[in-house]
Amino acid sequence: MSKTSVGAIGEFTDVNVLIKAAETIRDAGYRRWDVLTPYPVHGLDSAMGIKRSIVSYIAFAGMLGGLTTALGLQWWTGAWDYKLNIGGKGFFNWQFSMPIDFELSVLGTAIFTTLGLFALCRLPTWYHRFQDDESFKKSTDDTFVITIDANDDRYSQDTAQDLLRRVGATNVHIVQPTIE
Amino acid sequence: MTHVNIGSTPFVATLRKSGIGLMIAGVLGLFAVYLTGGEHGQQRFIADYLVGFWYFTGVSVTMLFFVALQYLTRAGWSASVRRIAENLSGMVPFVAVFLIPIVVNMMGHHSIYEWTHPEAAQDKILSYKAPYLNMTFFLVRMGLYCLLWFGMLWHLVGNSVKQDTNETDITPTRRNWKRAAPWVLVYAMTITFASFDLMMSLEPHWFSTIWGIYTFTGHFVAALAIITLMVVYMYKAGLLRGYIREEHFHDLGKLMFAFSVFWAYIGFSQYFIIWYANIPEETVYFTQRTSGSWGIFGYLLMIFRFVLPFVLLLRQDVKRKITLLTVAAIVILVAHYIDIVWIVMPAVGKVMQTDAMLFGWQEFTGMAFFAGVFLYLAARLNTRRNAVAVNDPLIRESFEYHT
């Protein structure tokens, strides 16, 4: 049973150093790495080189789905399959279909956005390989943490640790897996 | 940081010049409407005047609401654009003066308001409404609106300007944080009742309980569009660099988008309930405005006020692109004009007992005059005061802010 490491980890206390560090690691070409902060840090996404999320396209698809369902159901049930005269209105009018169109569009958008967001964030994640590390735990309290995954193409225990030390991290170390 | 007083820049000089030019063109145009209108000259003149008056009075007063809203929510993002809105409220002290022609017309024989006609006393519906719709009470209400609006200007904006002279003591801003909430309430009441009195009473047999919100959303989205244009042009002219950033365009774009959608929601709610109930005394307003030549205006309104802004501003990156943002803002301003013409002119046509569609060059004259007044007063305020609330405690948050 070979024990491969999970990755390298380093701590930061200054947010400006952290952003500089993220830029350096981004420019070094690493892809499987992450920054963990106790609170949202503005500008970190661009420093990490994260592209804009595709969640808005997923939301748009949800909107189209909801709208089509609303229009289709109202037209098919009311004006095609079972014509019913209600209050002398037409079998299908854009006026009365509008509230349903609106509500189902909103519903479709909301469901797709939520599910899309969960999928893109890989939620729910019950276990994270870094999670038992003491430095990692600090990232929910008072420390910024950068992790570099062992399965990154550029990863080797020495280069990753060197890089983290060079960009100003303290307590740099390699995380070993705790469960098989 | 760049200069915060832009009074002597070519930008403000252009504002002033175009303001004066539009005012002159507007006055000449309005006289031409009066003279060429024949027996209905005065009515057409006042109707066109009212279109411009309501457009720019509403927008100016709504600027005060925008300011109050920023104080109420302690908004950080807007601290560096708030003064731009404050400097666009220059028309507020003069509303009473600009009301005079409208009141004079109401007292004469050519009134465009049906309820002021002597025959209204025989009309059953109008005689029931007489305790509210009568000249004395109307004047009292108008006086009250003018006073309250002026009070809001003096109490909030005046205080915001006071902060400019004091770098360390933020008492004026603290005071405004407390004052904002009651003034928002006053704004809500006054704009609602002013819209009942000046707009809805053009169709005195008809009523809509959602009218106040409908008016407010229209004015608010137009005010946001004007603030956006102002911010964009200042930015393009190289003014206030460092204070205004892409982030502010983004936020104004988001607000314009949100309130265009909100307008559609309210506008549709008003139409939908009347359409469904199909009661003649309620549908009279929409039958005239959705059929025949005014029907085209109805569709244009939907397209310009909802569809185009929605499509244009939906994507995130568009709100950061100056050109498209400018296009969207202009579309919204055109839509606000279409809206007010669509409200006023069919009603006036009924009073004038003409089947002709009252829309032509005449309808641009009142707009030109009030646009001129609006721009001229904006230039004047920008000469007198800073264009940025330099000592606002949240100003740093505003120009360092990220979305």
Side-chain angles (χ1 to χ4, degrees), chain A residues 2-22:
Chain A
S2 67
K3 255 187 145 192
T4 46
S5 64
V6 173
I9 193 163
E11 295 174 12
F12 294 83
T13 44
D14 186 331
V15 71
N16 295 317
V17 176
L18 178 82
I19 287 184
K20 281 263 157 46

PDB file of all heavy atoms in Angstrom, chain A residues 2-22:
ATOM      1  N   SER A   2       0.953   1.853  -1.166  1.00  0.00           N
ATOM      2  CA  SER A   2       1.826   3.032  -1.262  1.00  0.00           C
ATOM      3  C   SER A   2       1.096   4.256  -0.730  1.00  0.00           C
ATOM      4  O   SER A   2      -0.091   4.448  -0.987  1.00  0.00           O
ATOM      5  CB  SER A   2       2.236   3.268  -2.701  1.00  0.00           C
ATOM      6  OG  SER A   2       1.084   3.632  -3.452  1.00  0.00           O
ATOM      7  N   LYS A   3       1.851   5.042   0.013  1.00  0.00           N
ATOM      8  CA  LYS A   3       1.238   6.251   0.575  1.00  0.00           C
ATOM      9  C   LYS A   3       1.654   7.461  -0.261  1.00  0.00           C
ATOM     10  O   LYS A   3       2.790   7.913  -0.172  1.00  0.00           O
ATOM     11  CB  LYS A   3       1.726   6.437   2.012  1.00  0.00           C
ATOM     12  CG  LYS A   3       0.649   6.059   3.022  1.00  0.00           C
ATOM     13  CD  LYS A   3       1.120   6.419   4.410  1.00  0.00           C
ATOM     14  CE  LYS A   3      -0.019   6.877   5.285  1.00  0.00           C
ATOM     15  NZ  LYS A   3       0.449   7.480   6.524  1.00  0.00           N
ATOM     16  N   THR A   4       0.747   7.951  -1.136  1.00  0.00           N
ATOM     17  CA  THR A   4       1.061   9.175  -1.873  1.00  0.00           C
ATOM     18  C   THR A   4       0.505  10.361  -1.092  1.00  0.00           C
ATOM     19  O   THR A   4      -0.540  10.265  -0.454  1.00  0.00           O
ATOM     20  CB  THR A   4       0.418   9.161  -3.266  1.00  0.00           C
ATOM     21  OG1 THR A   4      -0.931   8.737  -3.117  1.00  0.00           O
ATOM     22  CG2 THR A   4       1.141   8.235  -4.204  1.00  0.00           C
ATOM     23  N   SER A   5       1.205  11.481  -1.177  1.00  0.00           N
ATOM     24  CA  SER A   5       0.753  12.645  -0.411  1.00  0.00           C
ATOM     25  C   SER A   5      -0.457  13.288  -1.072  1.00  0.00           C
ATOM     26  O   SER A   5      -0.726  13.087  -2.257  1.00  0.00           O
ATOM     27  CB  SER A   5       1.887  13.657  -0.297  1.00  0.00           C
ATOM     28  OG  SER A   5       2.196  14.131  -1.581  1.00  0.00           O
ATOM     29  N   VAL A   6      -1.202  14.042  -0.278  1.00  0.00           N
ATOM     30  CA  VAL A   6      -2.401  14.739  -0.768  1.00  0.00           C
ATOM     31  C   VAL A   6      -2.008  16.006  -1.507  1.00  0.00           C
ATOM     32  O   VAL A   6      -2.570  16.361  -2.539  1.00  0.00           O
ATOM     33  CB  VAL A   6      -3.332  15.081   0.415  1.00  0.00           C
ATOM     34  CG1 VAL A   6      -4.476  15.952  -0.048  1.00  0.00           C
ATOM     35  CG2 VAL A   6      -3.846  13.818   1.059  1.00  0.00           C
ATOM     36  N   GLY A   7      -1.004  16.707  -0.987  1.00  0.00           N
ATOM     37  CA  GLY A   7      -0.573  17.947  -1.613  1.00  0.00           C
ATOM     38  C   GLY A   7       0.175  18.809  -0.629  1.00  0.00           C
ATOM     39  O   GLY A   7       0.408  18.411   0.513  1.00  0.00           O
ATOM     40  N   ALA A   8       0.546  20.019  -1.089  1.00  0.00           N
ATOM     41  CA  ALA A   8       1.278  20.938  -0.231  1.00  0.00           C
ATOM     42  C   ALA A   8       0.333  22.022   0.277  1.00  0.00           C
ATOM     43  O   ALA A   8      -0.643  22.369  -0.386  1.00  0.00           O
ATOM     44  CB  ALA A   8       2.415  21.579  -1.012  1.00  0.00           C
ATOM     45  N   ILE A   9       0.637  22.542   1.446  1.00  0.00           N
ATOM     46  CA  ILE A   9      -0.227  23.565   2.032  1.00  0.00           C
ATOM     47  C   ILE A   9       0.631  24.637   2.683  1.00  0.00           C
ATOM     48  O   ILE A   9       1.739  24.354   3.170  1.00  0.00           O
ATOM     49  CB  ILE A   9      -1.199  22.904   3.052  1.00  0.00           C
ATOM     50  CG1 ILE A   9      -2.307  23.863   3.446  1.00  0.00           C
ATOM     51  CG2 ILE A   9      -0.446  22.401   4.278  1.00  0.00           C
ATOM     52  CD1 ILE A   9      -3.483  23.157   4.106  1.00  0.00           C
ATOM     53  N   GLY A  10       0.176  25.885   2.644  1.00  0.00           N
ATOM     54  CA  GLY A  10       0.905  26.976   3.278  1.00  0.00           C
ATOM     55  C   GLY A  10      -0.050  28.006   3.849  1.00  0.00           C
ATOM     56  O   GLY A  10      -1.157  28.192   3.334  1.00  0.00           O
ATOM     57  N   GLU A  11       0.384  28.694   4.921  1.00  0.00           N
ATOM     58  CA  GLU A  11      -0.496  29.659   5.585  1.00  0.00           C
ATOM     59  C   GLU A  11      -0.099  31.095   5.263  1.00  0.00           C
ATOM     60  O   GLU A  11       1.075  31.398   5.048  1.00  0.00           O
ATOM     61  CB  GLU A  11      -0.423  29.468   7.107  1.00  0.00           C
ATOM     62  CG  GLU A  11      -0.944  28.135   7.568  1.00  0.00           C
ATOM     63  CD  GLU A  11      -0.712  27.931   9.062  1.00  0.00           C
ATOM     64  OE1 GLU A  11      -0.355  28.897   9.749  1.00  0.00           O
ATOM     65  OE2 GLU A  11      -0.869  26.791   9.517  1.00  0.00           O
ATOM     66  N   PHE A  12      -1.057  31.970   5.266  1.00  0.00           N
ATOM     67  CA  PHE A  12      -0.823  33.403   5.052  1.00  0.00           C
ATOM     68  C   PHE A  12      -1.618  34.178   6.086  1.00  0.00           C
ATOM     69  O   PHE A  12      -2.683  33.733   6.510  1.00  0.00           O
ATOM     70  CB  PHE A  12      -1.307  33.835   3.669  1.00  0.00           C
ATOM     71  CG  PHE A  12      -0.531  33.235   2.531  1.00  0.00           C
ATOM     72  CD1 PHE A  12      -0.830  31.957   2.079  1.00  0.00           C
ATOM     73  CD2 PHE A  12       0.487  33.949   1.921  1.00  0.00           C
ATOM     74  CE1 PHE A  12      -0.123  31.400   1.045  1.00  0.00           C
ATOM     75  CE2 PHE A  12       1.185  33.399   0.878  1.00  0.00           C
ATOM     76  CZ  PHE A  12       0.887  32.116   0.434  1.00  0.00           C
ATOM     77  N   THR A  13      -1.117  35.355   6.458  1.00  0.00           N
ATOM     78  CA  THR A  13      -1.917  36.197   7.350  1.00  0.00           C
ATOM     79  C   THR A  13      -2.258  37.538   6.718  1.00  0.00           C
ATOM     80  O   THR A  13      -3.187  38.210   7.144  1.00  0.00           O
ATOM     81  CB  THR A  13      -1.181  36.454   8.675  1.00  0.00           C
ATOM     82  OG1 THR A  13       0.177  36.760   8.371  1.00  0.00           O
ATOM     83  CG2 THR A  13      -1.262  35.252   9.585  1.00  0.00           C
ATOM     84  N   ASP A  14      -1.514  37.932   5.660  1.00  0.00           N
ATOM     85  CA  ASP A  14      -1.753  39.240   5.035  1.00  0.00           C
ATOM     86  C   ASP A  14      -2.490  39.039   3.719  1.00  0.00           C
ATOM     87  O   ASP A  14      -2.044  38.278   2.857  1.00  0.00           O
ATOM     88  CB  ASP A  14      -0.405  39.938   4.791  1.00  0.00           C
ATOM     89  CG  ASP A  14      -0.598  41.363   4.283  1.00  0.00           C
ATOM     90  OD1 ASP A  14      -1.643  41.608   3.626  1.00  0.00           O
ATOM     91  OD2 ASP A  14       0.279  42.207   4.531  1.00  0.00           O
ATOM     92  N   VAL A  15      -3.618  39.722   3.565  1.00  0.00           N
ATOM     93  CA  VAL A  15      -4.448  39.500   2.377  1.00  0.00           C
ATOM     94  C   VAL A  15      -3.749  39.970   1.103  1.00  0.00           C
ATOM     95  O   VAL A  15      -3.905  39.367   0.041  1.00  0.00           O
ATOM     96  CB  VAL A  15      -5.844  40.148   2.570  1.00  0.00           C
ATOM     97  CG1 VAL A  15      -5.763  41.649   2.523  1.00  0.00           C
ATOM     98  CG2 VAL A  15      -6.822  39.628   1.531  1.00  0.00           C
ATOM     99  N   ASN A  16      -2.929  41.030   1.201  1.00  0.00           N
ATOM    100  CA  ASN A  16      -2.234  41.514   0.006  1.00  0.00           C
ATOM    101  C   ASN A  16      -1.173  40.534  -0.457  1.00  0.00           C
ATOM    102  O   ASN A  16      -1.015  40.295  -1.651  1.00  0.00           O
ATOM    103  CB  ASN A  16      -1.602  42.878   0.288  1.00  0.00           C
ATOM    104  CG  ASN A  16      -2.671  43.925   0.548  1.00  0.00           C
ATOM    105  OD1 ASN A  16      -3.681  43.964  -0.154  1.00  0.00           O
ATOM    106  ND2 ASN A  16      -2.463  44.742   1.569  1.00  0.00           N
ATOM    107  N   VAL A  17      -0.454  39.938   0.528  1.00  0.00           N
ATOM    108  CA  VAL A  17       0.531  38.912   0.198  1.00  0.00           C
ATOM    109  C   VAL A  17      -0.174  37.721  -0.451  1.00  0.00           C
ATOM    110  O   VAL A  17       0.296  37.141  -1.427  1.00  0.00           O
ATOM    111  CB  VAL A  17       1.284  38.470   1.480  1.00  0.00           C
ATOM    112  CG1 VAL A  17       2.232  37.334   1.172  1.00  0.00           C
ATOM    113  CG2 VAL A  17       2.021  39.647   2.087  1.00  0.00           C
ATOM    114  N   LEU A  18      -1.352  37.405   0.080  1.00  0.00           N
ATOM    115  CA  LEU A  18      -2.118  36.272  -0.433  1.00  0.00           C
ATOM    116  C   LEU A  18      -2.464  36.466  -1.902  1.00  0.00           C
ATOM    117  O   LEU A  18      -2.307  35.567  -2.723  1.00  0.00           O
ATOM    118  CB  LEU A  18      -3.396  36.104   0.391  1.00  0.00           C
ATOM    119  CG  LEU A  18      -4.315  34.977  -0.078  1.00  0.00           C
ATOM    120  CD1 LEU A  18      -3.839  33.653   0.455  1.00  0.00           C
ATOM    121  CD2 LEU A  18      -5.739  35.231   0.334  1.00  0.00           C
ATOM    122  N   ILE A  19      -2.937  37.689  -2.238  1.00  0.00           N
ATOM    123  CA  ILE A  19      -3.344  37.944  -3.627  1.00  0.00           C
ATOM    124  C   ILE A  19      -2.134  37.885  -4.550  1.00  0.00           C
ATOM    125  O   ILE A  19      -2.180  37.282  -5.629  1.00  0.00           O
ATOM    126  CB  ILE A  19      -4.096  39.287  -3.711  1.00  0.00           C
ATOM    127  CG1 ILE A  19      -5.485  39.091  -3.077  1.00  0.00           C
ATOM    128  CG2 ILE A  19      -4.214  39.766  -5.145  1.00  0.00           C
ATOM    129  CD1 ILE A  19      -6.395  40.250  -3.156  1.00  0.00           C
ATOM    130  N   LYS A  20      -1.004  38.462  -4.107  1.00  0.00           N
ATOM    131  CA  LYS A  20       0.243  38.381  -4.888  1.00  0.00           C
ATOM    132  C   LYS A  20       0.644  36.924  -5.091  1.00  0.00           C
ATOM    133  O   LYS A  20       1.019  36.511  -6.192  1.00  0.00           O
ATOM    134  CB  LYS A  20       1.371  39.110  -4.148  1.00  0.00           C
ATOM    135  CG  LYS A  20       1.318  40.607  -4.292  1.00  0.00           C
ATOM    136  CD  LYS A  20       2.258  41.067  -5.409  1.00  0.00           C
ATOM    137  CE  LYS A  20       1.828  42.414  -5.950  1.00  0.00           C
ATOM    138  NZ  LYS A  20       1.507  43.409  -4.925  1.00  0.00           N
ATOM    139  N   ALA A  21       0.537  36.132  -4.025  1.00  0.00           N
ATOM    140  CA  ALA A  21       0.906  34.723  -4.079  1.00  0.00           C
ATOM    141  C   ALA A  21       0.027  33.986  -5.076  1.00  0.00           C
ATOM    142  O   ALA A  21       0.521  33.203  -5.903  1.00  0.00           O
ATOM    143  CB  ALA A  21       0.764  34.106  -2.696  1.00  0.00           C
ATOM    144  N   ALA A  22      -1.293  34.284  -5.021  1.00  0.00           N
ATOM    145  CA  ALA A  22      -2.215  33.624  -5.945  1.00  0.00           C
ATOM    146  C   ALA A  22      -1.833  33.943  -7.386  1.00  0.00           C
ATOM    147  O   ALA A  22      -1.841  33.071  -8.258  1.00  0.00           O
ATOM    148  CB  ALA A  22      -3.638  34.071  -5.650  1.00  0.00           C
TER     149      ALA A  22
END
